[in-house]
PDB file of all heavy atoms in Angstrom:
ATOM      1  N   GLY A  13     -18.276  -0.066  -1.552  1.00 95.00           N
ATOM      2  CA  GLY A  13     -17.991   1.353  -1.955  1.00 95.00           C
ATOM      3  C   GLY A  13     -17.360   2.189  -0.865  1.00 95.00           C
ATOM      4  O   GLY A  13     -17.122   1.761   0.237  1.00 95.00           O
ATOM      5  N   TYR A  14     -17.070   3.420  -1.284  1.00 97.00           N
ATOM      6  CA  TYR A  14     -16.314   4.314  -0.356  1.00 97.00           C
ATOM      7  C   TYR A  14     -17.099   4.801   0.862  1.00 97.00           C
ATOM      8  O   TYR A  14     -16.524   4.764   1.948  1.00 97.00           O
ATOM      9  CB  TYR A  14     -15.873   5.526  -1.153  1.00 97.00           C
ATOM     10  CG  TYR A  14     -14.822   5.322  -2.134  1.00 97.00           C
ATOM     11  CD1 TYR A  14     -15.067   5.202  -3.445  1.00 97.00           C
ATOM     12  CD2 TYR A  14     -13.506   5.306  -1.708  1.00 97.00           C
ATOM     13  CE1 TYR A  14     -13.956   4.978  -4.443  1.00 97.00           C
ATOM     14  CE2 TYR A  14     -12.477   5.157  -2.526  1.00 97.00           C
ATOM     15  CZ  TYR A  14     -12.735   4.986  -3.909  1.00 97.00           C
ATOM     16  OH  TYR A  14     -11.687   4.709  -4.832  1.00 97.00           O
ATOM     17  N   LEU A  15     -18.362   5.235   0.679  1.00 98.00           N
ATOM     18  CA  LEU A  15     -19.026   5.635   1.921  1.00 98.00           C
ATOM     19  C   LEU A  15     -19.174   4.423   2.951  1.00 98.00           C
ATOM     20  O   LEU A  15     -18.965   4.729   4.086  1.00 98.00           O
ATOM     21  CB  LEU A  15     -20.485   6.080   1.511  1.00 98.00           C
ATOM     22  CG  LEU A  15     -21.286   6.650   2.666  1.00 98.00           C
ATOM     23  CD1 LEU A  15     -20.532   7.850   3.371  1.00 98.00           C
ATOM     24  CD2 LEU A  15     -22.698   7.095   2.138  1.00 98.00           C
ATOM     25  N   MET A  17     -17.055   2.012   3.325  1.00 98.00           N
ATOM     26  CA  MET A  17     -15.764   1.879   3.993  1.00 98.00           C
ATOM     27  C   MET A  17     -15.572   3.021   5.025  1.00 98.00           C
ATOM     28  O   MET A  17     -14.994   2.694   6.078  1.00 98.00           O
ATOM     29  CB  MET A  17     -14.662   1.865   2.907  1.00 98.00           C
ATOM     30  CG  MET A  17     -14.556   0.620   2.076  1.00 98.00           C
ATOM     31  SD  MET A  17     -13.036   0.619   1.070  1.00 98.00           S
ATOM     32  CE  MET A  17     -13.451   1.706  -0.248  1.00 98.00           C
ATOM     33  N   PHE A  31      -7.590  -0.277   1.235  1.00 97.00           N
ATOM     34  CA  PHE A  31      -8.584  -1.127   0.590  1.00 97.00           C
ATOM     35  C   PHE A  31      -7.891  -1.522  -0.809  1.00 97.00           C
ATOM     36  O   PHE A  31      -7.037  -0.830  -1.327  1.00 97.00           O
ATOM     37  CB  PHE A  31      -9.839  -0.382   0.332  1.00 97.00           C
ATOM     38  CG  PHE A  31      -9.677   0.885  -0.620  1.00 97.00           C
ATOM     39  CD1 PHE A  31     -10.046   0.799  -1.885  1.00 97.00           C
ATOM     40  CD2 PHE A  31      -9.226   2.028  -0.050  1.00 97.00           C
ATOM     41  CE1 PHE A  31      -9.843   1.992  -2.729  1.00 97.00           C
ATOM     42  CE2 PHE A  31      -8.967   3.202  -0.826  1.00 97.00           C
ATOM     43  CZ  PHE A  31      -9.345   3.143  -2.174  1.00 97.00           C
ATOM     44  N   THR A  33      -8.027  -1.783  -4.680  1.00 91.00           N
ATOM     45  CA  THR A  33      -8.766  -0.982  -5.694  1.00 91.00           C
ATOM     46  C   THR A  33      -9.591  -1.963  -6.650  1.00 91.00           C
ATOM     47  O   THR A  33     -10.463  -1.404  -7.338  1.00 91.00           O
ATOM     48  CB  THR A  33      -7.669  -0.322  -6.645  1.00 91.00           C
ATOM     49  OG1 THR A  33      -6.806  -1.316  -7.048  1.00 91.00           O
ATOM     50  CG2 THR A  33      -6.990   0.851  -5.849  1.00 91.00           C
ATOM     51  N   ARG A  34      -9.447  -3.207  -6.561  1.00 87.00           N
ATOM     52  CA  ARG A  34     -10.146  -4.188  -7.255  1.00 87.00           C
ATOM     53  C   ARG A  34      -9.867  -5.497  -6.671  1.00 87.00           C
ATOM     54  O   ARG A  34      -9.004  -5.618  -5.792  1.00 87.00           O
ATOM     55  CB  ARG A  34      -9.752  -4.196  -8.728  1.00 87.00           C
ATOM     56  CG  ARG A  34      -8.233  -4.530  -8.953  1.00 87.00           C
ATOM     57  CD  ARG A  34      -7.808  -4.377 -10.332  1.00 87.00           C
ATOM     58  NE  ARG A  34      -7.775  -3.007 -10.746  1.00 87.00           N
ATOM     59  CZ  ARG A  34      -8.241  -2.616 -12.004  1.00 87.00           C
ATOM     60  NH1 ARG A  34      -8.678  -3.472 -12.827  1.00 87.00           N
ATOM     61  NH2 ARG A  34      -8.191  -1.345 -12.325  1.00 87.00           N
ATOM     62  N   ALA A  41     -12.621  -4.586 -12.405  1.00 85.00           N
ATOM     63  CA  ALA A  41     -13.073  -3.669 -11.380  1.00 85.00           C
ATOM     64  C   ALA A  41     -14.360  -3.051 -11.803  1.00 85.00           C
ATOM     65  O   ALA A  41     -14.649  -2.709 -12.912  1.00 85.00           O
ATOM     66  CB  ALA A  41     -11.916  -2.550 -11.216  1.00 85.00           C
ATOM     67  N   LYS A  42     -15.221  -2.847 -10.771  1.00 84.00           N
ATOM     68  CA  LYS A  42     -16.498  -2.225 -10.941  1.00 84.00           C
ATOM     69  C   LYS A  42     -16.230  -0.675 -11.186  1.00 84.00           C
ATOM     70  O   LYS A  42     -15.292  -0.181 -10.646  1.00 84.00           O
ATOM     71  CB  LYS A  42     -17.365  -2.262  -9.627  1.00 84.00           C
ATOM     72  CG  LYS A  42     -18.071  -3.592  -9.535  1.00 84.00           C
ATOM     73  CD  LYS A  42     -19.168  -3.495  -8.507  1.00 84.00           C
ATOM     74  CE  LYS A  42     -18.676  -3.084  -7.126  1.00 84.00           C
ATOM     75  NZ  LYS A  42     -19.764  -3.247  -6.069  1.00 84.00           N
ATOM     76  N   PRO A  43     -17.034  -0.012 -12.057  1.00 88.00           N
ATOM     77  CA  PRO A  43     -16.754   1.454 -12.190  1.00 88.00           C
ATOM     78  C   PRO A  43     -16.952   2.173 -10.855  1.00 88.00           C
ATOM     79  O   PRO A  43     -17.820   1.753 -10.128  1.00 88.00           O
ATOM     80  CB  PRO A  43     -17.775   1.841 -13.243  1.00 88.00           C
ATOM     81  CG  PRO A  43     -18.736   0.669 -13.417  1.00 88.00           C
ATOM     82  CD  PRO A  43     -18.094  -0.524 -12.849  1.00 88.00           C
ATOM     83  N   VAL A  44     -16.283   3.288 -10.627  1.00 92.00           N
ATOM     84  CA  VAL A  44     -16.455   4.033  -9.435  1.00 92.00           C
ATOM     85  C   VAL A  44     -17.713   4.823  -9.520  1.00 92.00           C
ATOM     86  O   VAL A  44     -18.014   5.384 -10.596  1.00 92.00           O
ATOM     87  CB  VAL A  44     -15.237   5.028  -9.181  1.00 92.00           C
ATOM     88  CG1 VAL A  44     -15.455   5.829  -7.963  1.00 92.00           C
ATOM     89  CG2 VAL A  44     -13.947   4.136  -9.140  1.00 92.00           C
ATOM     90  N   ASN A  45     -18.493   4.799  -8.428  1.00 95.00           N
ATOM     91  CA  ASN A  45     -19.720   5.521  -8.344  1.00 95.00           C
ATOM     92  C   ASN A  45     -19.392   6.892  -7.875  1.00 95.00           C
ATOM     93  O   ASN A  45     -18.974   7.144  -6.742  1.00 95.00           O
ATOM     94  CB  ASN A  45     -20.666   4.777  -7.508  1.00 95.00           C
ATOM     95  CG  ASN A  45     -22.033   5.607  -7.227  1.00 95.00           C
ATOM     96  OD1 ASN A  45     -22.042   6.713  -7.213  1.00 95.00           O
ATOM     97  ND2 ASN A  45     -23.100   4.792  -6.895  1.00 95.00           N
ATOM     98  N   GLU A  46     -19.597   8.022  -8.684  1.00 95.00           N
ATOM     99  CA  GLU A  46     -19.246   9.362  -8.391  1.00 95.00           C
ATOM    100  C   GLU A  46     -19.951   9.920  -7.078  1.00 95.00           C
ATOM    101  O   GLU A  46     -19.305  10.591  -6.306  1.00 95.00           O
ATOM    102  CB  GLU A  46     -19.496  10.269  -9.521  1.00 95.00           C
ATOM    103  CG  GLU A  46     -18.248  10.695 -10.203  1.00 95.00           C
ATOM    104  CD  GLU A  46     -18.555  11.610 -11.524  1.00 95.00           C
ATOM    105  OE1 GLU A  46     -18.843  10.917 -12.539  1.00 95.00           O
ATOM    106  OE2 GLU A  46     -18.502  12.731 -11.351  1.00 95.00           O
ATOM    107  N   ALA A  47     -21.202   9.594  -7.055  1.00 97.00           N
ATOM    108  CA  ALA A  47     -22.025  10.035  -5.824  1.00 97.00           C
ATOM    109  C   ALA A  47     -21.449   9.439  -4.583  1.00 97.00           C
ATOM    110  O   ALA A  47     -21.399  10.112  -3.538  1.00 97.00           O
ATOM    111  CB  ALA A  47     -23.501   9.666  -6.100  1.00 97.00           C
ATOM    112  N   ASP A  48     -21.125   8.206  -4.732  1.00 97.00           N
ATOM    113  CA  ASP A  48     -20.630   7.461  -3.512  1.00 97.00           C
ATOM    114  C   ASP A  48     -19.228   8.039  -3.064  1.00 97.00           C
ATOM    115  O   ASP A  48     -18.970   8.278  -1.889  1.00 97.00           O
ATOM    116  CB  ASP A  48     -20.351   5.998  -3.847  1.00 97.00           C
ATOM    117  CG  ASP A  48     -19.747   5.138  -2.679  1.00 97.00           C
ATOM    118  OD1 ASP A  48     -20.259   5.262  -1.581  1.00 97.00           O
ATOM    119  OD2 ASP A  48     -18.704   4.501  -3.008  1.00 97.00           O
ATOM    120  N   ALA A  49     -18.386   8.393  -4.075  1.00 97.00           N
ATOM    121  CA  ALA A  49     -17.050   8.995  -3.847  1.00 97.00           C
ATOM    122  C   ALA A  49     -17.345  10.395  -3.089  1.00 97.00           C
ATOM    123  O   ALA A  49     -16.594  10.754  -2.229  1.00 97.00           O
ATOM    124  CB  ALA A  49     -16.268   9.104  -5.055  1.00 97.00           C
ATOM    125  N   ALA A  50     -18.258  11.155  -3.612  1.00 97.00           N
ATOM    126  CA  ALA A  50     -18.537  12.484  -3.107  1.00 97.00           C
ATOM    127  C   ALA A  50     -18.999  12.355  -1.648  1.00 97.00           C
ATOM    128  O   ALA A  50     -18.681  13.167  -0.766  1.00 97.00           O
ATOM    129  CB  ALA A  50     -19.572  13.226  -3.939  1.00 97.00           C
ATOM    130  N   PHE A  52     -18.448   9.987   0.447  1.00 98.00           N
ATOM    131  CA  PHE A  52     -17.312   9.618   1.213  1.00 98.00           C
ATOM    132  C   PHE A  52     -16.469  10.812   1.631  1.00 98.00           C
ATOM    133  O   PHE A  52     -16.025  10.964   2.704  1.00 98.00           O
ATOM    134  CB  PHE A  52     -16.432   8.482   0.606  1.00 98.00           C
ATOM    135  CG  PHE A  52     -15.092   8.437   1.278  1.00 98.00           C
ATOM    136  CD1 PHE A  52     -15.022   7.829   2.570  1.00 98.00           C
ATOM    137  CD2 PHE A  52     -13.947   8.907   0.752  1.00 98.00           C
ATOM    138  CE1 PHE A  52     -13.800   7.817   3.234  1.00 98.00           C
ATOM    139  CE2 PHE A  52     -12.758   8.937   1.362  1.00 98.00           C
ATOM    140  CZ  PHE A  52     -12.585   8.277   2.672  1.00 98.00           C
ATOM    141  N   ASP A  91      -5.525   1.993 -15.209  1.00 95.00           N
ATOM    142  CA  ASP A  91      -7.000   2.042 -14.830  1.00 95.00           C
ATOM    143  C   ASP A  91      -7.162   2.497 -13.415  1.00 95.00           C
ATOM    144  O   ASP A  91      -7.939   3.319 -13.045  1.00 95.00           O
ATOM    145  CB  ASP A  91      -7.673   0.707 -15.092  1.00 95.00           C
ATOM    146  CG  ASP A  91      -9.128   0.730 -14.896  1.00 95.00           C
ATOM    147  OD1 ASP A  91      -9.738   1.640 -15.426  1.00 95.00           O
ATOM    148  OD2 ASP A  91      -9.708  -0.162 -14.167  1.00 95.00           O
ATOM    149  N   ASP A  92      -6.252   1.945 -12.454  1.00 96.00           N
ATOM    150  CA  ASP A  92      -6.333   2.416 -11.093  1.00 96.00           C
ATOM    151  C   ASP A  92      -6.024   3.866 -10.946  1.00 96.00           C
ATOM    152  O   ASP A  92      -6.663   4.528 -10.094  1.00 96.00           O
ATOM    153  CB  ASP A  92      -5.367   1.507 -10.251  1.00 96.00           C
ATOM    154  CG  ASP A  92      -5.999   0.217  -9.848  1.00 96.00           C
ATOM    155  OD1 ASP A  92      -7.205   0.007 -10.038  1.00 96.00           O
ATOM    156  OD2 ASP A  92      -5.210  -0.630  -9.337  1.00 96.00           O
ATOM    157  N   MET A  93      -5.142   4.331 -11.696  1.00 97.00           N
ATOM    158  CA  MET A  93      -4.833   5.804 -11.616  1.00 97.00           C
ATOM    159  C   MET A  93      -6.024   6.664 -11.940  1.00 97.00           C
ATOM    160  O   MET A  93      -6.368   7.722 -11.296  1.00 97.00           O
ATOM    161  CB  MET A  93      -3.678   6.223 -12.545  1.00 97.00           C
ATOM    162  CG  MET A  93      -2.221   5.671 -12.063  1.00 97.00           C
ATOM    163  SD  MET A  93      -1.741   6.278 -10.412  1.00 97.00           S
ATOM    164  CE  MET A  93      -2.164   4.846  -9.421  1.00 97.00           C
ATOM    165  N   LYS A  94      -6.752   6.197 -12.909  1.00 96.00           N
ATOM    166  CA  LYS A  94      -8.030   6.903 -13.302  1.00 96.00           C
ATOM    167  C   LYS A  94      -9.101   6.831 -12.244  1.00 96.00           C
ATOM    168  O   LYS A  94      -9.659   7.798 -11.905  1.00 96.00           O
ATOM    169  CB  LYS A  94      -8.647   6.236 -14.620  1.00 96.00           C
ATOM    170  CG  LYS A  94      -7.882   6.645 -15.883  1.00 96.00           C
ATOM    171  CD  LYS A  94      -8.616   6.299 -17.096  1.00 96.00           C
ATOM    172  CE  LYS A  94      -7.742   6.352 -18.321  1.00 96.00           C
ATOM    173  NZ  LYS A  94      -7.794   5.022 -19.088  1.00 96.00           N
ATOM    174  N   ARG A  95      -9.212   5.612 -11.643  1.00 95.00           N
ATOM    175  CA  ARG A  95     -10.170   5.376 -10.616  1.00 95.00           C
ATOM    176  C   ARG A  95      -9.850   6.195  -9.378  1.00 95.00           C
ATOM    177  O   ARG A  95     -10.735   6.712  -8.733  1.00 95.00           O
ATOM    178  CB  ARG A  95     -10.282   3.923 -10.247  1.00 95.00           C
ATOM    179  CG  ARG A  95     -10.791   3.061 -11.482  1.00 95.00           C
ATOM    180  CD  ARG A  95     -10.374   1.595 -11.345  1.00 95.00           C
ATOM    181  NE  ARG A  95     -10.963   1.048 -10.063  1.00 95.00           N
ATOM    182  CZ  ARG A  95     -12.258   0.684  -9.904  1.00 95.00           C
ATOM    183  NH1 ARG A  95     -13.015   0.866 -10.912  1.00 95.00           N
ATOM    184  NH2 ARG A  95     -12.618   0.162  -8.809  1.00 95.00           N
ATOM    185  N   MET A  96      -8.569   6.346  -9.120  1.00 97.00           N
ATOM    186  CA  MET A  96      -8.175   7.024  -7.792  1.00 97.00           C
ATOM    187  C   MET A  96      -8.491   8.539  -7.887  1.00 97.00           C
ATOM    188  O   MET A  96      -8.641   9.193  -6.950  1.00 97.00           O
ATOM    189  CB  MET A  96      -6.606   6.922  -7.618  1.00 97.00           C
ATOM    190  CG  MET A  96      -6.153   5.510  -7.195  1.00 97.00           C
ATOM    191  SD  MET A  96      -6.679   4.977  -5.483  1.00 97.00           S
ATOM    192  CE  MET A  96      -5.947   6.134  -4.497  1.00 97.00           C
ATOM    193  N   GLU A  97      -8.664   9.064  -9.169  1.00 97.00           N
ATOM    194  CA  GLU A  97      -8.970  10.479  -9.228  1.00 97.00           C
ATOM    195  C   GLU A  97     -10.345  10.828  -8.812  1.00 97.00           C
ATOM    196  O   GLU A  97     -10.682  11.982  -8.553  1.00 97.00           O
ATOM    197  CB  GLU A  97      -8.693  10.982 -10.681  1.00 97.00           C
ATOM    198  CG  GLU A  97      -7.222  11.042 -11.014  1.00 97.00           C
ATOM    199  CD  GLU A  97      -6.311  11.915 -10.130  1.00 97.00           C
ATOM    200  OE1 GLU A  97      -6.837  12.969  -9.716  1.00 97.00           O
ATOM    201  OE2 GLU A  97      -5.252  11.526  -9.800  1.00 97.00           O
ATOM    202  N   TYR A  98     -11.286   9.824  -8.474  1.00 96.00           N
ATOM    203  CA  TYR A  98     -12.494  10.034  -7.982  1.00 96.00           C
ATOM    204  C   TYR A  98     -12.402  10.417  -6.508  1.00 96.00           C
ATOM    205  O   TYR A  98     -13.263  11.010  -5.868  1.00 96.00           O
ATOM    206  CB  TYR A  98     -13.455   8.857  -8.156  1.00 96.00           C
ATOM    207  CG  TYR A  98     -13.938   8.644  -9.581  1.00 96.00           C
ATOM    208  CD1 TYR A  98     -13.242   7.790 -10.482  1.00 96.00           C
ATOM    209  CD2 TYR A  98     -15.055   9.237  -9.984  1.00 96.00           C
ATOM    210  CE1 TYR A  98     -13.594   7.687 -11.719  1.00 96.00           C
ATOM    211  CE2 TYR A  98     -15.538   9.092 -11.289  1.00 96.00           C
ATOM    212  CZ  TYR A  98     -14.812   8.273 -12.128  1.00 96.00           C
ATOM    213  OH  TYR A  98     -15.214   8.109 -13.456  1.00 96.00           O
ATOM    214  N   THR A  99     -11.242   9.994  -5.878  1.00 96.00           N
ATOM    215  CA  THR A  99     -10.969  10.461  -4.506  1.00 96.00           C
ATOM    216  C   THR A  99      -9.585  11.072  -4.549  1.00 96.00           C
ATOM    217  O   THR A  99      -8.608  10.445  -4.322  1.00 96.00           O
ATOM    218  CB  THR A  99     -10.939   9.284  -3.513  1.00 96.00           C
ATOM    219  OG1 THR A  99     -10.056   8.252  -4.051  1.00 96.00           O
ATOM    220  CG2 THR A  99     -12.300   8.593  -3.339  1.00 96.00           C
ATOM    221  N   PRO A 100      -9.567  12.341  -4.923  1.00 97.00           N
ATOM    222  CA  PRO A 100      -8.316  12.995  -5.257  1.00 97.00           C
ATOM    223  C   PRO A 100      -7.327  13.091  -4.079  1.00 97.00           C
ATOM    224  O   PRO A 100      -7.814  13.158  -2.860  1.00 97.00           O
ATOM    225  CB  PRO A 100      -8.714  14.406  -5.689  1.00 97.00           C
ATOM    226  CG  PRO A 100     -10.140  14.397  -5.855  1.00 97.00           C
ATOM    227  CD  PRO A 100     -10.759  13.280  -5.045  1.00 97.00           C
TER     228      PRO A 100
END
Side-chain angles (χ1 to χ4, degrees):
Y14 285 101
L15 182 60
M17 286 192 282
F31 60 100
T33 50
R34 61 186 68 223
K42 284 197 298 191
V44 177
N45 176 331
E46 250 175 278
D48 177 53
F52 166 72
D91 187 45
D92 278 350
M93 289 301 99
K94 288 192 194 124
R95 296 160 59 76
M96 289 296 294
E97 290 302 320
Y98 288 90
T99 53

